[in-house]
């Protein structure tokens, strides 16, 4: 669906990372974890295309005035990387935003009687919070959050408040372990007794590593991909990613916006 | 004005009556179904399918799209389900909507074009054919059909012989003389011309020192190209008798009406549907409002009505 | 890096050494003087004059310009003071600045082009000649020189015979095959190619039902056209040996560097100077900063350095 | 010169007409009446070109904080007609604006011992206020302000405060006389004893009429023209207007941005 959201707040939660809350119609606030929205940053032609963002959280708030009726909202967590996100970060409460969504398929929540291992790199955490919120209802959930440096580790407190056990790692050692977050994941998997499912979102290199680890150990793994998107509704075919049997001779592309953005890692082609 | 005071929005496109002149452009509206949630199909004049080919095509590696100032480049690589899957999987949807569906298609040889035209001619749900001639002729060393008048004419003639449905030829703007191309297509039997297809553009990622698109170059569309499209429609409208479908950067009703003044009988909305999936419907509605506000009883009176 | 740790910004354009690759584009920088308040002339590589002709030209009726999405159209009609007034009124200023001035010119016939080249060859203050071949050949029924390889080659050959100064040919983008045109000009004696000149576009005023420009069509420039320009520079750079000057929608240092990666030895800043009269200087400065930040010691190492 | 102005205020003075005050360096605040500025409404590409506006007023203000030093400012009076002016009208105090100017030649103030007749149509008043401010120093000044309707008659109080005698006319009679303001001008000219100069700015039809009236009576007349401008500095040659000897065969164009925008009406070609 397409709707006009009113921004409720837009705050920088870490240098370069912003969290925006906006009103959303009930259908959007009922989004499944892993779904995304396409935001029109500017009504004119610059930037021209919508920008895709994961749904970080949804909820209900009660407006400040007396006797007000609770309103559904959604949140995005975004990183300022270019023109569109820079413009987003200048918006204020009560500004309006043209939003398309929720789009795509979300995460499969799987069985309740297994451990859930969530791996997020930087702003890749964005769609994982809503996922964790659902998963904690029935499972033990652990979060592995990685980043280049301290500032890239986001919203850990929020995950902890859900009862998620959090492991953090930074490449420069400025927060948590020094190194890649996949090392902590590996250690946990070594200790693992029962069944588990891995969920991951972040830079492609990280997803590649996580998918490899999960495949080796035969653990189900879902990853959320990014892709350059023009439409978000399966029409432009810009966003595709190679499927598992893809080769230059026998190409096999999956549409990230409609078949994804969440895929079973086994469905996709990974670098070896 | 009609009895209910609403202007007459109908146009006739080479024998195909349209409830209004607003169509969607090939490759920007999927096979129709993708937009069912956003567009009341019966609010637009017609819709055009993704470009079809004999065999399914997987398309190009990624990245396939990139934004540019006021526009975008795409190098989708003509990904499509192929004619067989089109018939089994996509045509059933066409049956459910009371709006003409136009099949856009392409080939690598003149024979492939003709074969496609024959196959599509057999499908009752296909109201008209739109031929994308902006494809390389593999038999002639890759020269793009749509950039050579003889090549283009042979495609048109072959398709003409293969179908009785309205035959629309979609012109490439990447030519020195678009009027020459238009005349060649008209003479070879085109019932209508749609124009323009994308310009050819390129984008570079300075930091990576690489082209942004895996395919290096891509098709350039969006508001940025409108001045070129409008100029070409105007040039061709003066030179041919067949109706023209104006395409290129149409974002709103004003843009669409400008194309009609320049000589277009109908328009296609492309990139705009990515930005607003409901764009085509909104444009059709706003055009009607404009007509009412400006006391124009019949939209046909605007076709080619540019004063100079 | 040079001893003082500043990167080497110099390039050599067909024998003309430039302190940096940033030039201003013809028709967007007057005769230089107009910008003296805004640009330190010695901060840029070279500047190009308004297009000159044998006789003064008054230009087209108004409106002559109109904004379009991300770009603009102009139909100035090549208004210029003519070669005689250029010599008496404009050349004295050129003498005062220590930066190469390049004279852009055009003609209506091959002979006029040759005559202009001869006249300009005599002016010591003119460092190089840039030939605008996007003009109609009045002897050949108005066919634009720059859209026909033979026509273009005859202009180039005639100018070549008339001057020993570096001869830059400015290519039109309104062609099917820009590589063909580039090769024809190279073979006929061009020392360098500048590209692109404006696309041809049109804008309509819906309410007036008229073209916005008195001339109906106009030259399309600005950021909107950058993807087309970049593509053409890249195509031609692979096909010719002479240096290329990249032009089209360059607004900032990143744009300029992208053109160099695509194969340009230098760039020209056009429309951007209207928006920021100091644009060319700022771009040259920002390019140097980029080189420093990215550890590039010599800007020449970027020319054609696109990976693929 | 090119400078960054800080907006001090931006208020709608009549429906669709706005008055904006902004900081200006002393060189710009010293602009001559009739000069103009080119404003970059948006730092991105939409709109791409600068927009030209007359200088309505200049002055000095004292910032609110204690001990502050007086600052020069300039004002524009503008009408919202399209994209650029619509965006201008959304700006607020303390927003920044990229300004080029003062540009062009201003009005010639002429001799002090004659009557000054100022004719303004709608927002054509914009460059006439600063002119009136100068002229009242030495001459009797009368203003003839016309418009389609009441809302198009702007800032009359400000002119009256200068001691200018104001005549107004609207085509629909909603304010002042019903009809064209040139009728009031004609009546005044009929009564005129001594010498006078006419100054006019407004729609081209009005200027044409005023120039005709002045020519008939041999009264010096200066008009301020508009023209589609890309550069404002004489480089693009987009803004030209036909000079008096202009014909299709012998074109004679004047550059509005550098030779104008103010011309002696006799220098220009008018419709008969
Ligand atoms: C399904 C999906 C969900 C996403 N969720 C989030 C999120 O929750 N938080 C967040 O910060 N970012 C997210 N991203 C990435 C985000 O869309 C880009 O960072 C953003 O579009 C950059 O826009 P820009 O104008 O600032 O950058 P520019 O570089 O100026 O953008 C230029 C173009 O490239 C595209 N683009 C640039 N980077 C990316 C990217 N990484 N992925 C896809 N397209 C890109 C833009 O959409 C635009 O079309 C998501 C991407 C996808 C596909
Ligand atoms: C020397 C000069 C002084 C001016 N002073 C004032 C003033 O003090 N107050 C005021 O309200 N207006 C003034 N104008 C007119 C003002 O520049 C236009 O109304 C404004 O540019 C419209 O911009 P837009 O984006 O809102 O309209 P759009 O129609 O979207 O503009 C599209 C393009 O057309 C140009 N354009 C549109 N209308 C005009 C016009 N009337 N004259 C010139 N170019 C135009 C714009 O600059 C732009 O390039 C002046 C014009 C000139 C040339
Ligand atoms: C992503 C994309 C895919 C396209 N695919 C096709 C296609 O398959 N066949 C075709 O004839 N045109 C195709 N086009 C061209 C459009 O139909 C249209 O001619 C062009 O985009 C210009 O219109 P616009 O500026 O409104 O987008 C495609 C355009 C885009 C942006
Ligand atoms: C107003 C205007 C006038 C121009 N006049 C000339 C000219 O006289 N000769 C010429 O070769 N190119 C002329 N050009 C083309 C520019 O030099 C340049 O090739 C073109 O504008 C593309 O660059 P840009 O996008 O940076 O403006 C003119 C362009 C503009 C906008
Ligand atoms: S973004 Fe258009 S198909 Fe996925
Ligand atoms: S506005 Fe460019 S010359 Fe006057």
């Amino acid at each position: 669906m397409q709707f006009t959201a009113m921004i409720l707040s837009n705050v920088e939660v870490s240098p370069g990372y912003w969290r925006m809350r906006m009103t959303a119609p009930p259908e959007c606030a009922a989004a499944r974890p892993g779904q995304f929205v396409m935001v029109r940053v500017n009504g004119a032609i610059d930037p021209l295309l919508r920008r895709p963002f994961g749904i970080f959280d949804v909820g209900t708030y009660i407006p400040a005035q007396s006797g007000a009726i609770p309103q559904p909202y959604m949140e995005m967590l975004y990183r300022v990387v270019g023109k569109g996100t820079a413009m987003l970060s200048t918006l204020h409460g009560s500004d309006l935003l043209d939003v398309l969504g929720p789009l795509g398929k979300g995460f499969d929540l799987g069985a309740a009687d297994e451990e859930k291992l969530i791996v997020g790199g930087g702003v890749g955490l964005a769609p994982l919070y809503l996922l964790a919120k659902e998963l904690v209802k029935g499972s033990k959930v652990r979060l592995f959050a990685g980043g280049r440096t301290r500032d890239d580790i986001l919203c850990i407190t929020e995950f902890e408040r859900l009862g998620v056990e959090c492991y953090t790692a930074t490449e420069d050692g400025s927060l948590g372990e020094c190194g890649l977050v996949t090392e902590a994941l590996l250690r946990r998997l070594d200790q693992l007794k029962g069944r588990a499912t891995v969920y991951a979102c972040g830079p492609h290199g990280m997803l590649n590593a996580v998918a490899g680890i999960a495949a080796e150990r035969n653990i189900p793994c879902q990853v959320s991909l990014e892709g350059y998107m023009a439409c978000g509704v399966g029409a432009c075919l810009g966003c595709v990613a190679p499927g598992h049997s893809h080769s230059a001779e026998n190409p096999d592309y999956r549409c990230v916006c409609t078949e994804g953005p969440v895929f079973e890692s086994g469905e996709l082609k990974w670098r070896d | 004005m009609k009895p209910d005071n609403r202007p007459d929005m109908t146009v006739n496109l080479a024998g195909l009556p349209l409830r209004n002149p607003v169509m969607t452009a090939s490759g920007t509206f999927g096979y129709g179904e993708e937009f069912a949630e956003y567009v009341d199909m019966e609010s637009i004049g017609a819709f055009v399918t993704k470009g079809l080919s004999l065999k399914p095509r997987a398309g190009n590696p990624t990245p396939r799209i990139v934004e540019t100032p006021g526009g975008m480049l795409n190098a989708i690589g003509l990904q499509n389900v192929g004619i067989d899957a089109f018939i089994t999987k996509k045509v059933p949807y066409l049956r459910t909507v009371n709006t003409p569906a136009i099949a856009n298609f392409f080939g690598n040889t003149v024979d492939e074009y003709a074969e496609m035209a024959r196959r599509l001619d057999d499908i009752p749900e296909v109201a008209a054919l739109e031929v994308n001639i902006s494809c390389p002729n593999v038999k002639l060393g890759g020269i793009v059909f749509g950039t050579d008048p003889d090549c283009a004419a042979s495609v048109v003639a072959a398709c003409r012989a293969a179908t009785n449905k309205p035959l629309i030829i979609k012109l490439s703007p990447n030519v020195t003389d678009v009027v020459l191309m238009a005349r060649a297509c008209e003479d070879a039997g085109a019932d209508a011309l749609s124009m323009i297809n994308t310009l050819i553009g390129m984008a570079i990622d300075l930091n990576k020192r690489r082209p942004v698109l895996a395919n290096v170059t891509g098709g350039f569309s969006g508001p940025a190209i409108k001045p070129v499209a409008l100029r070409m429609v105007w040039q061709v409208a003066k030179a041919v008798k067949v109706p023209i479908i104006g395409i290129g950067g149409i974002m709103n009703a004003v843009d669409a009406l400008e194309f009609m003044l320049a000589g277009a009988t109908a328009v296609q909305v492309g990139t705009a549907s990515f930005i607003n999936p409901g764009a085509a419907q909104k444009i059709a509605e706003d055009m009607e409002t404009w007509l009412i506000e400006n006391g124009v009883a019949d939209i046909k009176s605007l076709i080619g009505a540019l004063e100079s």
Side-chain angles (χ1 to χ4, degrees), chain A, chain B:
Chain A
M1 67 182 307
Q2 190 175 349
F3 62 92
T4 301
M6 191 179 82
I7 295 175
L8 297 168
S9 64
N10 189 20
V11 289
E12 193 166 18
V13 293
S14 178
Y17 294 93
W18 294 69
R19 182 170 168 180
M20 181 186 274
R21 179 180 288 197
M22 63 188 92
T23 62
E27 300 90 320
C28 185
R32 286 190 305 283
Q35 287 192 295
F36 68 102
V37 293
M38 296 281 287
V39 171
R40 189 159 185 207
V41 176
N42 188 286
I45 59 157
D46 185 38
L48 183 67
L49 299 175
R50 288 176 182 268
R51 301 297 194 244
F53 297 98
I55 297 174
F56 176 71
D57 197 7
V58 297
T60 309
Y61 78 101
I62 299 168
Q65 73 270 26
S66 309
I69 286 152
Q71 298 289 330
Y73 69 81
M74 62 162 275
E75 289 191 8
M76 308 183 331
L77 180 69
Y78 63 96
R79 180 179 185 182
V80 172
V81 297
K83 182 160 59 178
T85 45
M87 287 173 78
L88 263 190
S89 72
T90 65
L91 298 180
H92 299 283
S94 89
D95 284 344
L96 300 179
L97 209 53
D98 174 355
V99 181
L100 197 67
L103 301 166
K105 294 201 176 126
F107 289 101
D108 182 329
L109 300 181
D113 57 348
E114 54 167 28
E115 189 163 319
K116 309 292 188 184
L117 304 168
I118 302 185
V119 191
V123 79
L125 273 190
L128 300 176
Y129 179 71
L130 193 55
L131 172 69
K133 231 171 144 178
E134 286 302 318
L135 292 176
V136 290
K137 292 180 184 165
S139 312
K140 170 75 191 162
V141 181
R142 292 177 204 268
L143 170 71
F144 301 84
R148 217 182 39 72
T149 182
R150 183 167 55 188
D151 294 344
D152 303 323
I153 307 292
L154 308 166
C155 299
I156 296 301
T157 321
E158 279 80 348
F159 280 91
E160 286 179 337
R161 262 191 230 129
L162 295 177
V164 172
E165 196 164 321
C166 299
Y167 304 76
T168 56
T170 51
E171 289 172 42
D172 65 359
S174 53
L175 188 74
E177 271 177 51
C178 182
L180 298 176
V181 74
T182 40
E183 291 157 24
L185 173 68
L186 274 171
R187 270 202 310 280
R188 176 67 210 152
L189 289 174
D190 286 340
Q191 293 162 8
L192 195 70
K193 299 272 146 38
R195 287 186 9 205
T197 296
V198 173
Y199 302 86
C201 183
H204 205 80
M206 190 200 89
L207 297 185
N208 198 54
V210 172
I213 291 168
E216 254 169 36
R217 295 170 193 238
N218 247 313
I219 297 172
C221 172
Q222 297 172 34
V223 297
S224 179
L225 294 190
E226 293 190 352
Y228 284 73
M229 295 187 166
C231 72
V233 300
C236 72
L237 303 178
C239 63
V240 299
H244 64 97
S245 69
H246 175 88
S247 69
E249 308 74 48
N250 286 303
D252 163 24
Y253 286 114
R254 307 296 165 92
C255 186
V256 173
C257 70
T258 53
E259 300 176 64
V262 178
F263 293 90
E264 294 284 343
S265 64
E267 282 179 78
L268 301 172
K269 179 92 186 172
W270 300 99
R271 275 176 280 121
D272 299 316
Chain B
M1 300 278 163
K2 288 196 289 186
D4 56 359
N5 264 336
R6 289 180 59 185
D8 183 350
M9 290 286 287
T10 63
V11 295
N12 189 301
L13 192 73
L16 183 69
L18 304 181
R19 68 168 67 85
N20 66 51
V22 182
M23 308 163 56
T24 57
S26 178
T28 64
F29 207 69
Y31 301 94
E33 242 175 311
E34 291 85 343
F35 285 81
E37 184 190 336
Y38 302 101
V39 174
D40 169 6
M41 292 293 163
E42 296 178 15
S43 71
I44 61 175
F47 64 99
V48 182
T49 67
K50 177 90 196 114
L52 298 163
S53 51
L54 282 176
K55 298 260 168 61
R57 297 242 318 203
N60 288 330
T62 56
R64 291 177 168 189
I65 59 164
V66 55
E67 192 179 78
T68 69
M72 63 175 280
L73 303 179
N74 86 81
I76 306 302
L78 296 168
Q79 176 173 347
N80 79 93
V81 296
I83 182 74
D84 294 328
F86 174 70
I87 293 171
T88 55
K89 296 197 186 138
K90 306 296 178 185
V91 167
Y93 171 73
L94 306 186
R95 225 166 281 150
T96 68
V97 288
N98 179 25
T99 291
I102 298 176
N104 179 288
F105 68 97
F106 63 95
N108 296 314
T109 62
V110 172
D111 289 347
E112 278 185 31
Y113 273 104
E115 174 66 14
M116 279 298 295
R118 248 186 310 276
R119 297 287 307 271
L120 291 166
D121 189 65
D122 286 342
I123 307 175
E125 290 79 4
V126 167
L129 274 50
E130 183 179 62
V131 192
N132 175 1
I133 56 173
S134 298
C135 295
N137 182 337
V138 295
K139 289 222 175 132
L140 279 179
I143 175 176
V144 173
F145 286 101
T147 62
D148 178 86
D150 296 334
C151 259
S154 58
V155 170
V156 178
C159 293
R160 178 72 293 167
T163 184
N164 288 319
K165 297 194 172 171
L167 185 67
I168 306 163
I169 308 300
K170 184 157 177 184
L171 300 182
S172 163
N174 302 293
V175 296
T176 308
D177 187 349
V178 71
V179 169
L180 191 71
M181 297 301 309
R183 288 215 180 98
C185 293
E186 181 180 41
D187 292 345
D191 293 318
L193 301 171
S194 55
M195 56 192 296
I196 59 175
N197 210 319
T198 50
L199 289 160
I200 305 170
M202 176 172 172
I204 288 176
D205 184 323
L206 175 62
N207 290 318
K208 297 192 186 144
R209 298 198 186 184
R210 297 175 71 92
V212 177
L213 298 175
N215 188 55
V216 183
T217 62
F220 181 19
S221 66
I225 72 167
K226 195 184 101 180
V228 174
L230 212 47
R231 181 262 297 183
M232 290 189 166
V233 167
W234 176 75
Q235 286 180 314
V236 169
K238 290 186 301 175
V240 301
K241 294 207 179 59
V242 295
I244 292 169
I245 304 167
I247 322 172
I250 295 177
M251 300 297 284
N252 52 48
V254 171
D255 294 335
L257 291 165
E258 287 171 12
F259 273 89
M260 295 192 71
L261 287 183
T265 296
V267 296
Q268 286 179 14
V269 175
T271 302
S273 292
F274 296 158
I275 297 151
N276 270 320
Q281 174 170 352
K282 173 102 168 59
I283 289 172
E285 288 164 0
D286 289 353
M287 284 168 84
E288 182 167 351
T289 305
W290 189 91
L291 260 62
I292 294 169
E293 286 174 359
N294 287 272
V296 178
D298 186 346
I299 198 161
K300 289 181 280 297
S301 68
L302 296 179
I303 301 170
L306 194 72
E307 293 161 28
S308 42

